[in-house]
Amino acid sequence: MLSLLAEQLEAARDRLEPAVFDYYSAGSGQEVTVGEAEAAWGSFRLRPRVLHDVSTVDLNVELLGARVSSPFVVAPMAFHALAHPDGECETFAGAGRAGALGVLSTRSSRRIEEVAAAATAPWWFQAYGMRDRALTHALVRRAADAGAGAIVLTVDTPYVGRKGKVSGVRIAVPDDQFLVNLAQHLVPGTVAREAAEQDPSMTPDYIAELAEVSGLPVLVKGVLRGDEAVRCLDAGAAGVVVSNHGGRQLDRALPSALALADVVTAVAGRAPVLVDGGIRTGTDALLALALGADAVLVGRPLLWALAAGGAEAVAAALDALAEDLRHVLAVAGAARIAELDSSMVIRL
Amino acid sequence: MLSLLAEQLEAARDRLEPAVFDYYSAGSGQEVTVGEAEAAWGSFRLRPRVLHDVSTVDLNVELLGARVSSPFVVAPMAFHALAHPDGECETFAGAGRAGALGVLSTRSSRRIEEVAAAATAPWWFQAYGMRDRALTHALVRRAADAGAGAIVLTVDTPYVGRKGKVSGVRIAVPDDQFLVNLAQHLVPGTVAREAAEQDPSMTPDYIAELAEVSGLPVLVKGVLRGDEAVRCLDAGAAGVVVSNHGGRQLDRALPSALALADVVTAVAGRAPVLVDGGIRTGTDALLALALGADAVLVGRPLLWALAAGGAEAVAAALDALAEDLRHVLAVAGAARIAELDSSMVIRL
Amino acid sequence: MLSLLAEQLEAARDRLEPAVFDYYSAGSGQEVTVGEAEAAWGSFRLRPRVLHDVSTVDLNVELLGARVSSPFVVAPMAFHALAHPDGECETFAGAGRAGALGVLSTRSSRRIEEVAAAATAPWWFQAYGMRDRALTHALVRRAADAGAGAIVLTVDTPYVGRKGKVSGVRIAVPDDQFLVNLAQHLVPGTVAREAAEQDPSMTPDYIAELAEVSGLPVLVKGVLRGDEAVRCLDAGAAGVVVSNHGGRQLDRALPSALALADVVTAVAGRAPVLVDGGIRTGTDALLALALGADAVLVGRPLLWALAAGGAEAVAAALDALAEDLRHVLAVAGAARIAELDSSMVIRL
Amino acid sequence: MLSLLAEQLEAARDRLEPAVFDYYSAGSGQEVTVGEAEAAWGSFRLRPRVLHDVSTVDLNVELLGARVSSPFVVAPMAFHALAHPDGECETFAGAGRAGALGVLSTRSSRRIEEVAAAATAPWWFQAYGMRDRALTHALVRRAADAGAGAIVLTVDTPYVGRKGKVSGVRIAVPDDQFLVNLAQHLVPGTVAREAAEQDPSMTPDYIAELAEVSGLPVLVKGVLRGDEAVRCLDAGAAGVVVSNHGGRQLDRALPSALALADVVTAVAGRAPVLVDGGIRTGTDALLALALGADAVLVGRPLLWALAAGGAEAVAAALDALAEDLRHVLAVAGAARIAELDSSMVIRL
């Protein structure tokens, strides 16, 4: 873990209520998957190149039309207000300063429109296929209207993963936070939290439905297999995010670091492939990019940054990651991300 | 290990006499095999599916004509009265409440007919090929008369494995418990414990013999190789149980988790394949089922449950395992066991 | 390690002078090889058979004409008088009681003829190709005259391995012990210890030379490669011993457990293959035999036994190993060593 | 690690200022690569030969015309004056006593000509492709004039690796040491340290440029891939050094022990291949030579020796390594380095 990120983590541990810290940290089941994400990147070694011109290093990335300053993307995470009073507004202000793409969670604790107003860089909106389909439709339309560039459909949550370690310290997110984006669309008398659950009967045709309703490209998040990625693309997905939901859903799922190559091979360049899970240094990102990812999402570290120091700290974390990536890219002999390839990566 | 099972284990450790706890816990030799059963399941990772309809999840299983509510089966274990005054009657009452199939040991501390009366779900009878063949014949006939649906012939005990760690704390099972099923059949003057030993000259033709005598299908328990499984089927076996006898027989035998795929491949669908050894969570079971098992036997955890809280605790343990399996099945993208396949499993 | 062997080791540690214990225990270099011998056997797992008639188990072995009661052989080791006043006489008396073959070291602390008189089971004589060739010739002739059944030529000692840890606590073997077999053959004025060093220019033609001089079959000890084993057989060897000299010569040499299969494959049944290094249980021996060894040598444990309780303890250790082998052979489904094959062994 | 080297390391730790010790010890990033160099050699095992004539063992090596007494070479390292008042003069005097080739760093703290006067064995000069090309030209010409036999061009430092652990304890090398070789060539007004940085735009054509300017063969140091080694040879390199810069540049680069075979295979005998990183015993060197290296560079241990006891200790360290190599070469069954081959090495 980059030293700045480690410091922000410690600061967050100090500042956050233990139950909140645990809520963010927790993984499902026996916490195998949450615990091995970072180490999975660490199981690779680099085969650097030499004597290539790296006098300038270019980290710019274009993702479905969004031009951003680096391949680091803010992962969608729920309820930023637990970490900072201004919640996602602060996070996305920080991402903007760093020129980084952010993905706003359906379960944000600030309204889509407020966050959109605070964001100064491109952003996407994360959606669930909720039991109340009209609710999702309403949300993605609002996101599109507010300027979202794409929809990221989370598909690995047909039921919420059981968090073993924190089962006794459930945090109670107040309704006004939980419903901030939803309240206005609820049919009177419905139980909001049930309506907002993922519909476990969701199938791939939901991808095209969401694209049509939103008018935006739809990426599918939570894919760990090449065949499933292709199934999503065939159903209209504009990209996939290789992810095990930060180890919060299926415990003992394959680490995303070890699932990435299979997905990249199967997708075969048809669409962008992003990845999250355990990216904590520029080298982790370099490995992901060399294995074929187009961008990498960073989750918990940015919540720790948010808790530790608001937008400024979020920007600092993203800048530090980008700067570290820039450095290792050059030392590994690549001046641009496009110069990376899988021959630079070997598993020990 | 599922948290309820861990709690019941601790409760059992408190309540049982240390010698009894050690007797149940022990493995043979240097206890390598008993110690690595659970970790062997832990060496696999899952490759989940997404966007499959998992709005209802069906765990029902049919095993040689027995319809049960989940693939969890009570493994045959000796002398339940050491753990609870009502012994197997209590265990099988609990299994019945959970709708789970149970396998009654020849060495039960309650008579076959008593347990049969307490059982409310289908049950099978575990037999040894004893030195006194008439004894085995008498037992399997009684089991059939009492309603057993199948015979499970244990074949990995030509001699009883030497338990390294507990050699000094042998428990003395009183004759009235040891002989509860046997006493009525013994020829006067025979040494009961010798007559009841497994006949080390037993060969596969014993399978057909037992099937004929009992009129029941015979599964062979204690198989760790595909070629041996086929040899048993060719000799008339109706199924096999992949097992190393809970690490109590041949120390350093292959963990059943790692032997399963070979057996499944060799059996090639001709007959059901069950597996036991180290199954402690729904995910362990999911892995076994995805690798081709038709059901999974659970042993020691149910003895701990029995000791901790009788039938109610046994039912609770079985229910918790089934509920955990139901959850991970859905989160892994499968609505029925039949939707699992080996592509969902990868060894790290 | 078998529990009796562990107890004898502790007894020996108590009784022996620390410098002697260290001398016996030591390995060369950083002691990598000496430290991993036992664990290398432990890296294998067994695939047992079932439903084979194991009502009688036969451990008898015939090795180059010697019929012995089990495949356990006393490895050649120097200076047993450091462990027991009667030295090798006591060791070989113990081996005789157990019906086990013993290999007497050139560096015995009792004269060949004395040990031969004490031995009641077949024995072989271990020789070095010494710088003074006449010395070796004289020794092997005496061994043949005294009844040795074969010569075991140690070839992995062109120079004595440097024992890192005990370099500061060199034991001083008194000349009368060092020279017990040699003194009568020394040309006046020669430096005995130099004459007795292995000739580092020794090549395979020495095998035939020794066979001719002694009139006995010559096994080559210290082989870790199939190609080198074949080279020895082509030069007249009657067998090979896969060994890294108990980790006392080339540190970081391959464990013999991992070298065995290569040698067995290359030898292809032309001659017996024995193995030593880390054999501490019947299961270790079973693994070696299943991988194709014809017998297994046991070294340090028998020195510990000798120190702990003389001939009786040596016999007890050998008997315990044989009894353990007999048990695991049966439980693994084999009634004779010839029924073992490499399909019973798998490396984790 | 050879025991003498371990003692010298401890002595150096006592004598050096902590900041200097840390400066020398440090690796980049999370110090993964610096920490695993030695263990990577330790992951190999040896397959020794037997019955080969090893009565004389020859370690002599000829490297691009330089005949030296062993394959151990002093690696180029900066600022020896931090470890000893006489700096590189003392180091190279020690190398000379041991008959070992040394590589003098551009960043030596004694002038090239002074070191050349102190050196009594062949030596090479290490160069960077500096931003001020005239500076490099001037240095390599001076080195050639002073008697260097070859130029070793370091190519893995387009930017200086970030040393995580010592970032807070930067040592301040005084300008008079930093500039000792450079001062006379600097254009007035230039910032010396910037001019002396590696030019990150350097490409392979620089190899031929340097060969022409210096009139010497140019080896490229810092190669970890076979394809990159071939690229360097095609551009005129006379040899390559497999190295990850002692773990000080790209963290998580492949250990050189694991990169060597790929480079040797790709180079296919066209030019010498040297290797550094974690060589701490004769066995480490034997492994490198058996895998195809022509010589091995030793770095930090010689700085520790220099700090511990000046030239004498440097010579003692090199002698001890050579003597250890001589011993293990013989015990492994090889009388000359040319008798080693990759069949002697196996990875566990």
Side-chain angles (χ1 to χ4, degrees), chain D residues 25 81 96-97 145 150 166 203 248 264 294 301-302 308 334:
Chain D
S25 306
R97 286 188 212 172
D145 290 346
V166 298
T203 50
R248 296 170 80 86
V264 166
D294 293 279
L302 300 178

Side-chain angles (χ1 to χ4, degrees), chain A residues 1-2 41-42 44-57 281 283-284 287 323-324 327-328 330-332 343-344 346 348, chain D residues 30 32 36 155-156 158-162 200-204 207 222-226 228 231-232 249-255 258 262:
Chain A
M1 185 180 286
L2 220 53
W41 296 110
F44 293 111
R45 289 293 170 273
L46 289 163
R47 301 176 68 238
R49 310 194 306 170
V50 290
L51 293 172
H52 293 261
D53 180 350
V54 291
S55 51
T56 60
V57 179
T281 65
T283 302
D284 296 335
L287 290 162
E323 181 49 31
D324 194 43
H327 176 70
V328 294
V331 178
S343 79
M344 301 186 73
I346 191 168
L348 278 196
Chain D
Q30 276 71 41
V32 171
E36 72 189 9
V155 298
D156 55 11
Y159 300 92
V160 176
R162 289 163 185 175
S201 72
M202 183 165 57
T203 50
I207 298 167
V223 173
L224 289 171
R225 303 169 57 127
E228 293 287 76
R231 199 164 142 261
C232 292
Q249 282 297 115
L250 183 65
D251 197 28
R252 291 201 247 167
L254 193 60
L258 303 186
D262 174 42

